[in-house]
Amino acid sequence: MTDHTTATPIYRNPARSPQERARDLLSHMTLEEKVAQLTSVWVYEVLDDLAFSPQKAAAKLGDGIGQITRVAGASNAAPRQTAELANTIQRYLVEQTRLGIPALIHEECCSGFMGRGATCFPQIIGVASTWEPELVAQMAAVIRTQMRAVGAHQGLSPVLDIARDPRWGRLEETFGEDPYLTARMGVAYVQALQTDDLRQGIVATGKHFLGYSFTLGGLNWAPAFIPPRELWEVFMFPFEAAIQEAGLASMMNAYHELDGIPCGASRELLTEILRNQLGFDGLVVSDYMAINQLVDYHHYARDKTHAAHLALQAGIDVELPSRDCYSDALVEGVRTGAVDPALVDQSVIRVLEMKFALGLFEHPYVDEEAAPQVFETPEQRQLARTIAQKSIILLKNEGDLLPLDRQPGTIAVIGPNGDSIRNMLGDYSYPAHIELLAHLQERGGMDTPIPESLTLEDIYPAMKSVLQAIREKVGEGSEVLYAPGCGVNDSDTSGFDEAVAVARRADVAIVVVGDKSGLTPDCTCGEFRDRATLHLPGVQEELVRAVVETGTPTVVVFINGRPVSSPWIAAHVPAIVEAWFPGEEGGPAVADVLFGDVNPGGKLPVTVARSVGQVPIFYAHRPSGSHSFLYGDYVDETVAPLFPFGHGLSYTRFEYSDLEITPEPVSTDGTLQVRFTLANVGERLGDEVVQLYIRLRGASVTRPVKELKGFRRVTLEPGRRVAVTFDLPIPALSYLDPAMERVVEPGELEVMVGSSSADIRLTGRVQMVGEKICLGRKRPFFSTARVSSLDA
């Protein structure tokens, strides 16, 4: 069709809507051109080494293409070269294909843009530990800036899975166990990544839809058995909030199956629920290889054509990372009548609408010269430092061993993560990606080029280990000794003698232990790296014991991706610090906390089990959960966690008082105001994360004993007081009744305010009165918090 006012095709007219332009462009397309828009190619498939190959492009991109997979991440080029390569590919598509449709370029960006030279922020479980959505937004803004500079348009994040099984290796990529905390942090990420105008933003991709994190045995890709009410109220909640509150533009299916149906083939999940019930109107992309997985992993589809049909029918619009089932097999399926061509058209429309919404047709290119200027700026590094500092959790501090005295003395740094920069980074960091590529190349896998000139300085940002940071922190006059003691995950104890010797010489021993994260066999957590036990890997716990038994005051610092279940360490080590994988500024951040330059204020986003036998263990259990009738505990273990959800200590003390709950009673369609006083009664500046929990009594279904419904991180000078007020919409407390209708019912509401899920400082009760309310899709998800000074 032609726009008669301009004599150009409608799809070329930016004044027309994305929907109008997409429908018009579809009318010009052949079947092959349509199918090409539903898939992607790895960037290296059109390269000779790092040079663009017109010959390979002609074979792979002749009919156009929907997406290019990881121009930065799969070429390993520097920012300027990445931008140049993106422009070259777009120029080929715009100028050398019949319809001139640009590609949408996607990249990974879990805890930072996973490209060479990009900022490596703390892993997401650490970001969650800040309990500060504003920091998530600032991190996502940096990711957006760096990705846009090199020509990317879509990020395969955030992970919105609820992590209630620490055996699962990808727990570190999540915001933790709680749907409310995950939703608040996830919404902040999506809003900052996409912005209000996708022409200035990056498409966020919620993953993995749905229930991927709660599989049998905590195993990756294993089946999940989740009751419908729990699926909706717990696992669906962050995705629903991201759609309704942030306009999430893309969704990725999960690999596993639910009740016999692989998620990638579930029309109920990806169309009836996601689109029809949740109101999602964006693009559904497959997780990598998930469509062919229907054939060779789940044995659910007969062949690639059948897999393509099942996935399209379910609602997957785009196959990633490369052309496989959505290729010749799909074209053949349409031509033989095995696949309804309307399914193809439906997904092509969605792809094209997204490209028009992104402004790709008007602005397919980026400024190559400007690209390097937005990488690793001082402001970005400072943000990485701030997030790392605020992510650190003080789990225990017996006898106020921390912060350490700066007086001259001898410090022993011990442990396999004490002098490692690699092990401060999560599984979707760029250095971990390079390791995976090298491993796959050894196995004859991916052809991603690793430039021969690539150096460690290219792979890693400028980083300091914990040991290096401590040495710089104490300066002259103090002696800092080091002994690794053992490896991360081996049985070799030959280094124990040296570790014990340096511990005995020291005034204090800092034992830095934990994990190595990544996707290769030598890693102990991350994707593909599930565990059957939850203690420290290898002989690290034995190393800690050996150091403690020297009698030297000992601090344990965990650099890890899953919570450590070690009752012995919790009982016998006086000071324990949880730093997760703190990113490129992690070493200095840990030293800042150890020596008191920063007062730790992080809080656990997960419950820490005492042993794997307690799994799954989480605070928001039903009344009959978390105890065994008649006696409560296990025969051989308490049911209590090692550390509760929301726990985290400080170098100062906070006091809660003067709880006011209004109105009393409150209407089922009203708003409850919860007000109290918070005071810093210690001697240091510090942060407290105040947490609002509720319990519903009298509901028509059993409800959790506690549910997080609000939080706020508050910074207070010593001696200062503030009033904290939560405005809690009662419809935000809705749940599914016996008929699976979302409702708010009259009853009693217990309100709990505290420093953790187990450290409740203030409680009150209020009656909810009025009619039972049935809610539709639109509803409030969050409370709001206000802080005002009470000091003259």
Side-chain angles (χ1 to χ4, degrees), residues 358-372:
L358 283 162
L360 277 181
F361 283 76
E362 287 68 53
H363 302 286
Y365 311 119
V366 294
D367 184 343
E368 300 166 5
E369 296 284 342

Side-chain angles (χ1 to χ4, degrees), residues 416 486-492 514-516 521-525 529 531 535-540:
C486 63
V488 167
N489 194 28
D490 59 43
S491 58
D492 185 2
D515 288 307
K516 177 183 178 181
D522 64 322
C523 294
T524 60
C525 63
R529 307 311 297 146
R531 290 189 63 201
H535 54 64
L536 285 167
V539 293
Q540 293 184 76

Side-chain angles (χ1 to χ4, degrees), residues 78-118:
R80 174 171 176 167
Q81 288 70 43
T82 298
E84 291 173 350
L85 182 54
N87 282 348
T88 300
I89 293 171
Q90 299 287 31
R91 192 167 291 108
Y92 180 90
L93 289 167
V94 170
E95 298 178 2
Q96 302 299 319
T97 63
R98 187 176 74 91
L99 295 172
I101 305 173
L104 192 156
I105 296 170
H106 75 261
E107 300 279 357
E108 296 283 4
C109 57
C110 178
S111 54
F113 169 34
M114 201 175 77
R116 182 171 155 190

Side-chain angles (χ1 to χ4, degrees), residues 116 121 134 229 372 449 678:
R116 182 171 155 190
F121 291 98
E134 295 80 5
R229 183 171 284 102
L678 179 72

Side-chain angles (χ1 to χ4, degrees), residues 487-770:
V488 167
N489 194 28
D490 59 43
S491 58
D492 185 2
T493 61
S494 61
F496 278 26
D497 288 345
E498 181 189 13
V500 167
V502 300
R504 285 182 173 145
R505 289 176 53 193
D507 300 304
V508 64
I510 302 170
V511 188
V512 189
V513 290
D515 288 307
K516 177 183 178 181
S517 177
L519 289 77
T520 53
D522 64 322
C523 294
T524 60
C525 63
E527 189 171 4
F528 313 143
R529 307 311 297 146
D530 312 312
R531 290 189 63 201
T533 59
L534 301 177
H535 54 64
L536 285 167
V539 293
Q540 293 184 76
E541 181 157 336
E542 288 87 338
L543 175 66
V544 175
R545 289 184 185 230
V547 173
V548 170
E549 288 169 0
T550 66
T552 301
T554 302
V555 179
V556 165
V557 177
F558 292 130
I559 307 288
N560 60 330
R562 56 164 58 85
V564 176
S565 297
S566 176
W568 192 94
I569 290 177
H572 293 89
V573 174
I576 305 172
V577 172
E578 174 61 76
W580 303 112
F581 296 123
E584 66 181 45
E585 285 288 320
V590 169
D592 289 340
V593 167
L594 292 178
F595 289 91
D597 294 324
V598 168
N599 189 347
K603 300 280 187 174
L604 283 170
V606 291
T607 301
V608 181
R610 290 179 177 273
S611 70
V612 72
Q614 292 182 316
V615 173
I617 183 171
F618 46 90
Y619 85 93
H621 57 78
R622 306 284 170 162
S624 59
S626 194
H627 70 273
S628 175
F629 186 81
L630 176 68
Y631 300 113
D633 287 330
Y634 295 103
V635 170
D636 53 351
E637 181 68 270
T638 175
V639 296
L642 194 61
F643 295 105
F645 174 85
H647 171 72
L649 305 177
S650 173
Y651 296 152
T652 191
R653 294 180 297 112
F654 295 95
E655 201 171 75
Y656 294 67
S657 63
D658 307 325
L659 178 66
E660 298 176 10
I661 304 173
T662 56
E664 164 56 48
V666 64
S667 170
T668 50
D669 63 353
T671 297
L672 193 70
Q673 191 173 91
V674 180
R675 186 180 189 273
F676 59 94
T677 298
L678 179 72
N680 183 345
V681 296
E683 298 177 353
R684 290 174 176 265
L685 171 75
D687 288 5
E688 172 69 330
V689 179
V690 296
Q691 300 163 44
L692 172 66
Y693 296 90
I694 62 97
R695 182 176 184 179
L696 294 169
R697 300 178 184 272
S700 56
V701 291
T702 63
R703 300 304 303 154
V705 296
K706 287 188 185 79
E707 296 179 79
L708 182 70
K709 290 298 175 182
F711 60 88
R712 178 69 176 265
R713 186 164 181 152
V714 181
T715 302
L716 275 181
E717 296 277 0
R720 296 294 186 179
R721 300 180 311 143
V722 293
V724 181
T725 304
F726 286 102
D727 294 309
L728 175 62
I730 297 300
L733 310 183
S734 64
Y735 48 87
L736 299 176
D737 71 3
M740 295 298 285
E741 294 286 338
R742 180 163 291 283
V743 301
V744 179
E745 298 172 309
E748 185 178 67
L749 174 63
E750 183 176 357
V751 176
M752 295 162 276
V753 175
S755 186
S756 82
S757 62
D759 184 8
I760 300 299
R761 307 288 183 88
L762 304 170
T763 61
R765 297 193 180 190
V766 62
Q767 294 297 318
M768 298 189 304
V769 298

Side-chain angles (χ1 to χ4, degrees), residues 11-29:
Y11 80 89
R12 290 289 184 188
N13 184 353
R16 305 298 285 264
S17 71
Q19 293 75 23
E20 292 175 303
R21 299 175 75 184
R23 292 191 200 98
D24 178 56
L25 181 51
L26 182 75
S27 70
H28 295 276
M29 300 174 75

